[in-house]
């Protein structure tokens, strides 16, 4: 979970108005009312022309809080079809509701048009497959798509069979929010449409996770163990890999049916490991302590859970914070009115610990936010580098105009390099690093034949080799949710659903023009992560076409 998932604090940035509301606006279900579900819920209200109609969430506090603030207000009990304890209860209800409607029963509530799937990563496959079997529901699934490649492929096949009443495949979106931030959209335009540095030769992209943020999510939190979650490259950085492929692989514009094929990678390699957060790095003065609250050096340890979650320095109770990450430690933290009550609740949680007699299954099934970061059961990488290469791929050229202005000539009248148009050989390097001051403030350097670009999370600076000039573009951020990506993705997804429901668009057109990402692209970027993990674990350079043919195409063809 990124720090920039929080509610925006910059009140000077005014988001664009949401699209105009249709007569029958899209009705939306949110499955999972945790941090991501709430982020998309807020974005629906602030940035889209949809209506939140239902929530499915097993935690009573989270479900009721979401419902009263975003759906039914003070109405009690909630309207029929608005509140569900989990996704299974929704599927059972919706199956029955459809049967009642088909039987001609009067006053049957309207169903939902689309769902945001925001449950735990390992549950995505079950939920998306179940929704697809219902048929006709447009789906936005939080990233990652699934925690294994096989589960991703299961979802791919199920989504292809998810059709509406007219037989069209429904709209699908993945939570790769980085594609939808104003910053990254401008960066892609400058690179691929304006070609401000010509053909790209290499990219170096870094995600600085943050020294304390990594401990919250990947040492003490949900995503600390590969066996119960997935590799950190997938859970933290799959949308960074997706952005690299979006910039270097996908055609500049695929809004039309006849867009060129992607420029596919040639090789993948990766190195990385759990370098720091392990017992061999534990300070000797900490002794046998396994919990911060009983540690003799707690006051001097930068990873002290009291410092992070209670004190006034970072994101603790003492700062006045009641949102993320405290809402992960204590889901109902907002219900504790005074600072003392909230602090007592947090400290009680931090004091919880396990020992050698605690069953492994019990340790694995929950988070331990007071656990010593050197004594936790985490095993995911805290440092990783991925390198992707592309070979030159000169596509057969369409007839070009001759120098005299006539058309139809097959002679190449422009330099050969101009015909590569982004399909030349190139390299991309991605670095995920935990020990950083910045928290999820990504930065990228891009090197081209005519210039170079440095992009941080707010600015894009272009230096042109031909003119010697440097131009800096400042991008306005409408929210701190991934630089406006949360709002942007939500707006586009709901608009796609609206155009299909109310304005006669085909789902194929909505997918291409509004989602801007195909199901094939989703599978490709996830497959790249699993391929990189194979390269890391086996210490080898993987041939991408060969791996893709064996691990993806053959499995899809076998069905």
């Amino acid at each position: 979970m990124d720090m920039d998932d929080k509610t925006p604090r910059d009140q000077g940035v005014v988001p664009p108005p949401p699209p105009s509301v249709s007569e029958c606006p899209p009705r939306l279900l949110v499955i999972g009312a945790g941090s991501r579900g709430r982020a998309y819920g807020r974005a629906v209200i602030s940035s889209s022309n949809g209506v939140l109609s239902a929530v499915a969430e097993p935690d009573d506090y989270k479900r009721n809080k979401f419902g009263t603030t975003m759906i039914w207000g003070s109405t009690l009990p909630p309207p029929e079809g608005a509140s569900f304890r989990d996704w299974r209860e929704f599927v059972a209800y919706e199956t029955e509701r459809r049967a009642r409607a088909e039987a001609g029963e009067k006053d049957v509530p309207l169903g939902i048009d689309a769902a945001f799937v925001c449950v735990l990563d390992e549950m995505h496959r079950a939920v998306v497959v179940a929704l697809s079997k219902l048929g006709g529901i447009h789906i936005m699934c939080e990233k990652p798509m699934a925690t294994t490649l096989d589960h991703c492929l299961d979802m791919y096949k199920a989504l292809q069979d998810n059709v509406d009443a007219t037989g069209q495949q429904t709209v699908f979106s993945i939570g790769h929010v980085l594609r939808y931030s104003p910053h990254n959209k401008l960066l892609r335009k400058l690179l691929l449409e304006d070609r401000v540095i010509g053909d790209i030769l290499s990219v170096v992209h870094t995600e600085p996770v943050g020294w304390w943020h990594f401990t919250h999510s990947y040492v003490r939190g949900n995503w600390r163990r590969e066996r119960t979650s997935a590799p950190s490259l997938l859970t933290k950085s799959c949308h960074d890999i997706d952005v690299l492929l979006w910039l270097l692989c996908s055609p500049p514009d695929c809004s039309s049916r006849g867009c060129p094929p992607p420029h596919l990678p040639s090789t993948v390699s990766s190195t990385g490991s759990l370098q720091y957060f392990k017992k061999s790095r534990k300070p000797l003065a900490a002794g046998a302590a396994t919990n911060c609250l009983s540690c003799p050096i707690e006051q001097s340890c930068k990873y002290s859970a009291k410092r992070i979650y209670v004190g006034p320095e970072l994101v603790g109770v003492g700062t006045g914070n009641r949102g993320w990450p405290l809402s992960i430690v204590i889901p109902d933290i907002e219900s504790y009115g005074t600072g003392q009550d909230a602090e007592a609740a947090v400290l009680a949680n931090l004091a919880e610990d396990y020992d050698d007699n605690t069953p492994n299954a019990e340790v694995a099934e929950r988070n331990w936010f007071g656990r010593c970061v050197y004594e936790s059961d985490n095993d995911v990488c805290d440092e990783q580098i991925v390198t992707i290469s592309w070979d030159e791929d000169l596509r057969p050229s369409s007839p070009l105009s001759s120098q005299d202005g006539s058309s139809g000539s097959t002679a190449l009248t422009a330099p050969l390099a101009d015909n590569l148009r982004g399909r030349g050989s190139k390299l991309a390097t991605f670095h995920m690093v935990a020990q950083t001051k910045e928290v999820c403030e990504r930065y990228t350097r891009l090197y081209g034949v005519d210039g170079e670009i440095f992009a941080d999370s707010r600015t894009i600076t272009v230096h042109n080799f031909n003119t010697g000039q440097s131009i800096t573009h400042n991008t306005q951020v409408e929210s701190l949710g991934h630089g406006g990506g949360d709002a942007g993705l939500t707006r586009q997804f709901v608009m796609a659903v609206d155009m299909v429901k109310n304005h006669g668009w085909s789902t194929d057109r909505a997918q291409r023009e509004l989602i801007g990402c195909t199901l094939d692209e989703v599978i490709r970027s996830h497959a790249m992560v699993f391929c990189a993990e194979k390269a890391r674990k086996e210490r080898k350079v993987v041939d991408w076409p060969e791996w893709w043919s064996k691990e993806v195409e053959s499995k899809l063809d076998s069905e």
Side-chain angles (χ1 to χ4, degrees):
M1 191 59 56
D2 288 352
M3 187 180 182
D4 55 5
D5 288 332
K6 299 183 298 180
T7 302
R9 295 177 181 174
D10 184 356
Q11 301 302 317
V13 177
V14 179
S20 58
V21 178
S22 299
E23 184 176 345
C24 298
R27 293 170 52 81
L28 309 169
L29 161 71
V30 174
I31 302 178
S35 294
R36 296 308 296 152
R38 293 194 300 272
Y40 290 123
R42 290 192 297 267
V44 166
I45 294 170
S46 67
S47 304
S48 86
N49 58 354
V51 175
L52 291 170
S53 300
V55 59
E57 164 60 52
D59 184 275
D60 291 343
Y61 177 82
K62 292 180 182 179
R63 182 178 65 257
N64 292 329
K65 180 71 173 179
F66 189 100
T68 55
T69 57
M70 300 192 196
I71 303 177
W72 57 78
S74 59
T75 302
L76 289 176
E80 180 187 342
S83 177
F84 302 95
R85 292 191 177 276
D86 59 22
W87 63 270
R88 292 182 179 84
E89 187 173 273
F90 164 76
V91 169
Y93 167 81
E94 178 60 13
T95 301
E96 181 186 9
R97 188 201 67 80
R98 293 183 181 187
R100 290 161 56 195
E102 290 176 5
E105 182 178 324
K106 294 182 178 180
D107 300 324
V108 177
L110 294 173
I112 58 106
D113 301 298
F116 287 82
V117 177
C118 306
V119 294
L120 294 174
D121 301 342
E122 58 268 27
M123 296 171 60
H124 287 177
R125 173 184 173 272
V127 178
V128 170
V129 169
L131 293 179
S132 297
K133 288 182 178 179
L134 272 177
I137 296 175
H138 307 285
I139 298 172
M140 200 301 295
C141 180
E142 174 58 358
K143 66 89 180 170
M145 188 177 189
T147 56
T148 70
L149 180 58
D150 285 343
H151 282 186
C152 288
L153 297 180
D154 288 345
M155 294 167 69
Y156 178 88
K157 289 177 282 191
L159 288 163
Q160 286 186 315
D161 294 334
N162 181 13
V163 297
D164 62 18
T166 67
Q168 293 188 92
Q169 186 175 320
T170 55
V171 170
F172 176 74
S173 183
I174 190 72
H176 285 159
V177 291
L178 298 183
R179 284 181 176 237
Y180 299 91
S181 72
H183 176 278
N184 288 332
K185 289 167 68 176
L186 174 60
L187 177 61
R188 191 171 194 267
K189 179 181 183 298
L190 291 170
L191 286 170
L192 304 189
E193 296 181 30
D194 301 343
R195 293 177 55 80
V196 294
I197 60 171
D199 269 5
I200 302 168
L201 297 174
S202 64
V203 177
V204 180
H205 176 62
T206 300
E207 181 180 16
V209 183
W211 62 271
W212 65 264
H213 176 223
F214 193 91
T215 66
H216 169 75
S217 295
Y218 303 95
V219 178
R220 293 163 164 154
N222 281 330
W223 299 280
R224 68 187 187 270
R225 298 179 71 173
E226 182 174 338
R227 189 167 55 240
T228 55
S229 176
S232 54
L233 183 65
L234 182 75
T235 58
K236 185 72 188 80
S237 303
C238 66
H239 50 6
D240 293 277
I241 297 297
D242 176 71
V243 162
L244 288 173
L245 296 186
W246 185 49
L247 296 176
L248 300 173
C249 182
S250 301
D253 180 14
C254 263
S255 60
S256 63
R257 291 178 179 272
C259 67
H263 184 197
L264 297 175
S266 301
T267 66
V268 182
S269 61
S270 180
T271 57
S273 64
L274 174 58
Q275 290 190 163
Y276 185 71
F277 296 105
K278 52 187 179 180
K279 195 165 186 174
S280 60
R281 297 278 193 173
K282 185 179 182 180
L284 292 177
T290 60
N291 184 277
C292 288
L293 272 61
S294 60
C295 179
I297 63 168
E298 178 272 320
Q299 290 187 350
S300 62
C301 179
K302 60 179 174 291
Y303 298 108
S304 162
K306 285 183 67 176
R307 180 188 182 194
I308 295 171
Y309 301 113
V310 179
E313 181 184 352
L314 296 169
V315 288
V317 173
T319 67
N321 179 33
R322 294 296 185 274
W324 184 91
L326 285 177
S327 59
I328 304 299
V329 180
I330 307 290
D332 60 345
I333 188 68
E334 293 180 3
S335 67
Y336 293 88
T338 68
Q340 287 185 334
D341 289 343
E343 180 177 322
V346 173
L347 286 172
N349 179 284
L350 299 184
E352 297 173 356
D353 201 4
Y354 56 87
D355 57 30
D356 292 341
N357 296 319
T358 309
N360 183 62
E362 182 179 334
V363 175
E365 73 180 4
R366 54 158 295 185
N367 300 321
W368 302 87
F369 290 112
R371 185 76 176 179
C372 172
V373 297
Y374 307 103
E375 292 276 3
S376 186
D377 61 333
N378 58 301
D379 60 12
V380 297
C381 292
D382 54 21
E383 187 103 14
Q384 188 163 356
I385 293 174
V386 178
T387 302
I388 308 169
S389 74
W390 283 258
D391 291 337
E392 186 173 291
D393 180 27
L394 181 61
R395 306 297 300 179
S397 299
S398 58
L400 300 177
S401 298
S402 62
Q403 290 182 345
D404 62 7
S406 62
S407 59
S409 171
T410 58
L412 294 176
T413 60
L416 180 62
D418 289 349
N419 292 286
L420 285 171
R421 301 295 290 186
R423 306 186 76 89
S425 58
K426 53 201 172 190
L427 286 170
T429 300
F430 170 66
H431 184 197
M432 184 272 287
V433 52
Q435 303 292 351
T436 62
K437 175 185 176 182
E438 295 88 357
V439 178
C440 304
E441 295 288 328
R442 298 165 173 87
Y443 51 91
T444 312
R445 287 194 177 274
L446 306 102
Y447 304 93
V449 299
D450 292 326
E452 63 178 280
I453 291 176
F454 174 74
D456 57 23
S457 294
R458 296 298 178 111
T459 64
I460 301 171
T461 300
V462 182
H463 180 77
N464 188 295
F465 296 156
N466 297 313
T467 66
Q469 293 183 328
S470 294
I471 299 175
T472 297
H473 303 264
N474 293 288
T475 52
Q476 192 177 57
V477 178
E478 67 177 86
S479 75
L480 295 185
H482 294 97
D486 290 354
L489 182 151
T490 302
R491 181 187 300 112
Q492 295 303 112
F493 174 67
V494 178
M495 191 186 305
V497 175
D498 180 51
M499 297 307 288
V500 171
K501 178 181 180 180
N502 295 305
H503 301 282
W505 281 36
S506 68
T507 52
D508 175 69
R509 180 185 176 188
Q511 189 78 41
R512 287 184 285 105
E513 296 187 24
L514 297 175
I515 302 299
C517 180
T518 67
L519 187 54
D520 286 346
E521 286 181 280
V522 174
I523 288 294
R524 186 183 302 122
S525 63
H526 281 76
M528 177 60 68
V529 173
F530 293 110
C531 182
E533 277 298 285
K534 177 181 176 65
R536 181 183 69 85
K537 292 178 178 179
E538 297 183 6
R539 301 188 176 189
K540 63 191 293 186
V541 176
V542 176
D543 181 285
W544 169 260
E546 181 181 305
W547 183 89
W548 174 267
S549 176
K550 178 182 178 182
E551 299 298 332
V552 179
E553 286 186 337
S554 64
K555 293 179 180 179
L556 293 176
D557 291 343
S558 66
E559 297 294 326

